[in-house]
Amino acid sequence: MTQAIQYTAFGGPDVLTLVHTTSPAPAAGEVAVRVAAAGVNPVDAKIRSGLRPTGEITTPRGVGDDGAGTITAVGADVVGFRPGDEVIVFGVKGTYATDIVVPCQNVQPRPPAVSAAEGAALGVPAGTAYQTLRSIDVRAGDTLLVHGGSGAVGQAVVQLAVLWGAAVVATASPRRHDRLRALGAIPVAYGDGLEQRVREAAGAKGVTCVIDIAGTDEAIDVSLRLCADRTRIATLVRGKDAASLGILAFLGGAPDPLTARELQLRAEAMPVVLALMAAGRFSVELGPSFPLADAVQAHLALESGVDGKITLIP
């Protein structure tokens, strides 16, 4: 018998309920995974609350896109995986559970140097960061402005951009500046005078590309004033406004789904980032962990804005 977190109506964290259900055997091309840790992402709360439109709820919904665990069974035609393999899971639904069945293309081997909690923290943040950076072609010689650089997605953006040779200016609360410096970014505080602080940090070359993960009017206005090429400004939050502003949007309320190429880039990120982690060149800031049964408390912590990635431990 499997335990899983589900909900049947949109609302606050208290709609999340621990239920007992049966987990099917993996079909062709699928693997069964015993979950060791599940990542808790801000998008989980947005979908649960109804803030991110996902259509009417007609059957109980699971929660969670990312996880890590051990393969317990494989379906027909599965090559490269076997029971006992330690893996991460990404881009699926319902990882807040003790056992899940997922397509094998949504699974990657987890290196021994990467903990289960770290592996569970990768899918949405690293996939989003990698795809967005590739989509706006961030490269050596660029100066990238990241609004909201201290969250999980922001930290992934900073690390990858720095590794690829870009200079990075990242906005965050001053108490988070040391973390951003450690990752290779120049931190600046948001608030009055932001534009001038960014100009000074960016230097004579100025800002050549922007990723907005904050979604504030301040972030958008400063981005439009500092970056001349609007095709190299992307928002992950203000998708519904992007077209009118002439900038790019990836999810975050955008009317159009990700393209096949964008989805491919998100999957491509997983082996890349896992290899970097195994080599000590990419890190995840872990926050509090909660038992699976305490998913409500995990979402309350998420909405309070705790530092680091929250995980659930079945």
Side-chain angles (χ1 to χ4, degrees):
M1 186 68 78
T2 296
Q3 291 184 317
I5 298 296
Q6 296 181 347
Y7 62 100
T8 57
F10 297 117
D14 59 343
V15 302
L16 300 176
T17 303
L18 182 69
V19 301
H20 291 82
T21 183
T22 56
S23 184
E30 294 181 334
V31 297
V33 177
R34 177 72 42 82
V35 179
V40 178
N41 291 296
V43 70
D44 300 345
K46 291 176 182 178
I47 292 173
R48 181 217 71 224
S49 67
L51 181 63
R52 178 75 59 85
T54 54
E56 181 183 0
I57 298 175
T58 56
T59 58
R61 285 191 179 181
V63 195
D65 299 270
D66 304 330
T70 305
I71 291 179
T72 56
V74 300
D77 303 325
V78 171
V79 177
F81 294 105
R82 61 184 180 180
D85 286 350
E86 301 290 340
V87 296
I88 72 160
V89 178
F90 60 94
V92 299
K93 296 299 178 186
T95 56
Y96 292 17
T98 56
D99 296 271
I100 54 177
V101 173
V102 297
C104 61
Q105 64 261 32
N106 296 92
V107 173
Q108 279 288 322
R110 177 170 64 84
V114 179
S115 71
E118 290 170 330
L122 285 181
V124 168
T128 301
Y130 184 94
Q131 174 260 306
T132 305
L133 288 163
R134 290 299 192 206
S135 293
I136 64 171
D137 193 24
V138 175
R139 56 193 182 273
D142 274 322
T143 298
L144 170 68
L145 171 60
V146 183
H147 293 287
S150 65
V153 175
Q155 290 190 32
V157 165
V158 168
Q159 291 179 85
L160 291 173
V162 169
L163 282 169
W164 297 345
V168 180
V169 178
T171 71
S173 170
R175 67 182 180 81
R176 303 289 284 150
H177 285 188
D178 284 346
R179 173 64 179 170
L180 288 171
R181 288 190 189 96
L183 298 179
I186 302 171
V188 296
Y190 42 73
D192 291 345
L194 174 62
E195 180 178 347
Q196 184 58 34
R197 289 192 294 277
V198 173
R199 286 187 186 277
E200 292 172 357
K205 185 175 181 179
V207 171
T208 60
C209 45
V210 180
I211 297 177
D212 164 45
I213 317 171
T216 62
D217 289 342
E218 174 189 62
I220 296 296
D221 292 344
V222 167
S223 299
L224 295 175
R225 289 197 294 269
L226 293 183
C227 184
D229 185 352
R230 295 195 179 189
T231 67
R232 301 194 75 203
I233 302 175
T235 180
L236 304 179
V237 187
R238 295 278 290 273
K240 61 184 177 62
D241 303 320
S244 64
L245 295 168
I247 65 177
L248 300 178
F250 305 109
L251 295 180
D256 298 320
L258 294 172
T259 65
R261 173 58 178 159
E262 289 159 0
L263 290 171
Q264 179 186 6
L265 285 169
R266 291 188 176 219
E268 181 181 298
M270 295 302 103
V272 170
V273 173
L274 284 165
L276 289 170
M277 289 188 74
R281 302 180 67 196
F282 186 100
S283 66
V284 170
E285 181 185 26
L286 292 176
S289 62
F290 296 84
L292 179 65
D294 289 343
V296 170
Q297 295 303 314
H299 272 227
L300 288 171
L302 179 71
E303 294 179 351
S304 74
V306 300
D307 295 339
K309 186 72 172 182
I310 298 170
T311 52
L312 289 171
I313 309 300

